[in-house]
Amino acid sequence: GEDVEQSLFLSVREGDSSVINCTYTDSSSTYLYWYKQEPGAGLQLLTYIFSNMDMKQDQRLTVLLNKKDKHLSLRIADTQTGDSAIYFCAERRPGGYNKLIFGAGTRLAVHP
Amino acid sequence: DTAVSQTPKYLVTQMGNDKSIKCEQNLGHDTMYWYKQDSKKFLKIMFSYNNKELIINETVPNRFSPKSPDKAHLNLHINSLELGDSAVYFCASSQNPGLAGNTGELFFGEGSRLTVL
């Protein structure tokens, strides 16, 4: 399909791990990204993974990429209330124009 | 210093009016973008300019006209506004996508919320 798909909501308890999943569309996409949007703000890049990698770890964040299934996930360890936000998955389509296709975002709610 | 700044942040207007949103970036990037985020949070690319040249032009009504006077500015003019134009419009910038090793990271402004009544 044309759309990058993500589940819309995730609720976790503070201190637990959060896993946000994404299915992207184009197996030729070169980079896959996770962006974070806090209320009233623009999107900020959290992390990215190049398409020839399976995993990337960056402090509390772990990104897993399954190219065969076109599946991307973001794991946040020890989730904190400050992690509450909308998380967007995005793929960079091939070609020279940096065309990023975004999912609809997963709203993460962290409760005590 | 704000890296990507958009004005106005909020815009409320009547159907049929013409309005503009301005965007400026001070990151020295060559490439700028306009994205539209609807009420369901879907974020869709509208346009992209690289060094003042239009390089991405998605299926957007021709009532929307981007203008890039220089590579640090990309403005969006909308004619004959319709109810369905209500959304948050995000400007973004990035390094030149043609550069080797460019990860494609986008730097977003804070958004301009347009409400058409």
Side-chain angles (χ1 to χ4, degrees), chain B residues 89-101:
Chain B
Y89 292 85
F90 284 98
C91 177
S93 72
S94 76
Q95 290 182 327
N96 188 327
L99 287 177

Side-chain angles (χ1 to χ4, degrees), chain B residues 102-117:
Chain B
N102 177 10
T103 63
E105 179 180 359
L106 296 179
F107 292 78
F108 282 86
E110 293 188 339
S112 298
R113 182 177 293 276
L114 171 66
T115 303
V116 182
L117 302 175

Side-chain angles (χ1 to χ4, degrees), chain A residues 3-4 31 33 35 37 40-45 48 86 88 92 96-105 107, chain B residues 9 33 35 37 40-45 48 55-56 58 90 94 97-98 101-106 108-110:
Chain A
D3 292 337
V4 174
Y31 286 88
Y33 308 87
Y35 279 81
Q37 185 182 28
L43 281 72
Q44 285 195 301
L45 182 66
Y48 67 91
I86 302 176
F88 290 88
R92 182 183 183 185
Y97 298 136
N98 205 31
K99 183 174 175 179
L100 269 63
I101 306 299
F102 285 83
R107 188 181 294 273
Chain B
K9 196 168 170 132
Y33 311 79
Y35 277 83
Q37 186 176 46
K40 293 183 180 175
K41 300 296 185 185
F42 264 106
L43 197 68
K44 290 209 181 288
I45 189 164
S48 176
I55 58 171
I56 295 176
E58 291 295 286
F90 284 98
S94 76
N102 177 10
T103 63
E105 179 180 359
L106 296 179
F108 282 86
E110 293 188 339

Side-chain angles (χ1 to χ4, degrees), chain B residues 4-5 8 27 34 36 39 46 49 51 57 59-60 65 80-81 83 97 101-103 105 107-108 110 117:
Chain B
V4 181
S5 57
L27 297 167
W34 278 109
K36 178 181 179 181
S39 58
M46 301 172 69
Y49 273 73
N51 268 321
N57 186 356
T59 308
V60 175
S65 51
S80 303
L81 278 155
L83 293 177
N102 177 10
T103 63
E105 179 180 359
F107 292 78
F108 282 86
E110 293 188 339
L117 302 175

Side-chain angles (χ1 to χ4, degrees), chain A residues 55-108:
Chain A
M55 185 183 92
K56 180 178 180 181
Q57 188 141 5
D58 184 359
Q59 300 182 330
R60 293 191 296 123
L61 305 178
T62 304
V63 178
L64 296 178
L65 175 60
N66 179 331
K67 276 192 76 173
K68 177 176 164 290
D69 295 336
K70 290 183 282 189
H71 185 263
L72 184 73
S73 68
L74 173 70
R75 179 177 179 270
I76 306 173
D78 186 25
T79 314
Q80 302 298 308
T81 53
D83 295 324
S84 294
I86 302 176
Y87 291 81
F88 290 88
C89 167
E91 61 177 329
R92 182 183 183 185
R93 293 277 172 83
Y97 298 136
N98 205 31
K99 183 174 175 179
L100 269 63
I101 306 299
F102 285 83
T106 299
R107 188 181 294 273
L108 174 64

